[in-house]
Amino acid sequence: MRIGELADQLGLNTKTIRYYESIGLLPEPARTPSGYRDYDDRAGERLRFIRTAQRLGITLDEIREILAFRDRGDQPCGYVREVLRRQVDEIDERIAELRQLRRELVTLDDIADQLPDPGPGQCRLIEHVRQHDASNAASTAPGGERLIAWRPS
């Protein structure tokens, strides 16, 4: 089948398919006598695999490695589990950062009305944070977490 048909069938853009070919995720297909790409069912299956892996947050480089396992006939499950575990750790770190940011924002909102007006065209909340960032940079937790003491100026 031609690239447009494959793209339509999978809900992809033809540029995406060409890109995957250019970076080695999808083998270059056979060509028709007139030079058009001619994809077989294996290309569609490989593209479905790539999309599923991406949905799981696996990067294109990691997908390339998984496909290399598959192409050699090796089981990629150990590698995939390692990738997924690493992702879980990164998500946990991001959740902790977001929780800390939420606490800071709630605290900032709580004191917003007590902050002085910095003047025309400026936001008292942003100015307060900007002024305190320099002094709080020295007060950093061991994990790099900011320790903000929100006090009105």
Side-chain angles (χ1 to χ4, degrees):
M1 84 184 77
R2 291 167 110 179
I3 193 167
E5 295 169 308
L6 181 62
D8 288 344
Q9 187 180 79
L10 299 173
L12 291 172
N13 186 306
T14 57
K15 289 181 183 182
T16 301
I17 295 172
R18 286 188 196 100
Y19 176 70
Y20 290 164
E21 285 177 27
S22 74
I23 64 170
L25 291 179
L26 187 65
E28 194 169 314
R31 299 275 182 161
T32 64
S34 56
Y36 290 106
R37 290 172 167 88
D38 188 21
Y39 294 93
D40 58 18
D41 291 338
R42 290 180 307 205
E45 185 54 40
R46 193 169 179 109
L47 287 166
R48 282 184 199 89
F49 174 84
I50 292 168
R51 288 185 62 194
T52 300
Q54 284 183 303
R55 188 179 64 73
L56 294 173
I58 299 172
T59 67
L60 293 179
D61 286 337
E62 292 163 339
I63 292 169
R64 182 182 297 107
E65 186 65 29
I66 294 165
L67 290 170
F69 275 101
R70 286 178 43 160
D71 293 345
R72 289 189 306 263
D74 295 334
Q75 290 287 330
C77 294
Y79 177 76
V80 172
R81 287 185 74 186
E82 178 184 316
V83 167
L84 296 179
R85 286 178 183 140
R86 195 170 49 243
Q87 280 185 333
V88 168
D89 290 344
E90 290 170 7
I91 289 168
D92 288 343
E93 287 177 28
R94 184 66 180 139
I95 288 170
E97 291 169 1
L98 288 171
R99 284 186 176 137
Q100 177 62 27
L101 177 59
R102 184 186 187 287
R103 285 190 295 271
E104 291 175 18
L105 295 175
V106 166
T107 301
L108 185 58
D109 184 54
D110 288 346
I111 65 162
D113 293 333
Q114 302 167 29
L115 298 174
D117 185 0
Q122 295 183 339
C123 172
R124 69 181 65 185
L125 300 170
I126 293 173
E127 288 304 309
H128 176 76
V129 172
R130 186 184 62 75
Q131 289 172 7
H132 287 84
D133 271 352
S135 63
N136 289 330
S139 303
T140 304
E145 190 175 310
R146 294 186 328 174
L147 299 176
I148 298 196
W150 294 106
R151 281 176 243 120
S153 300

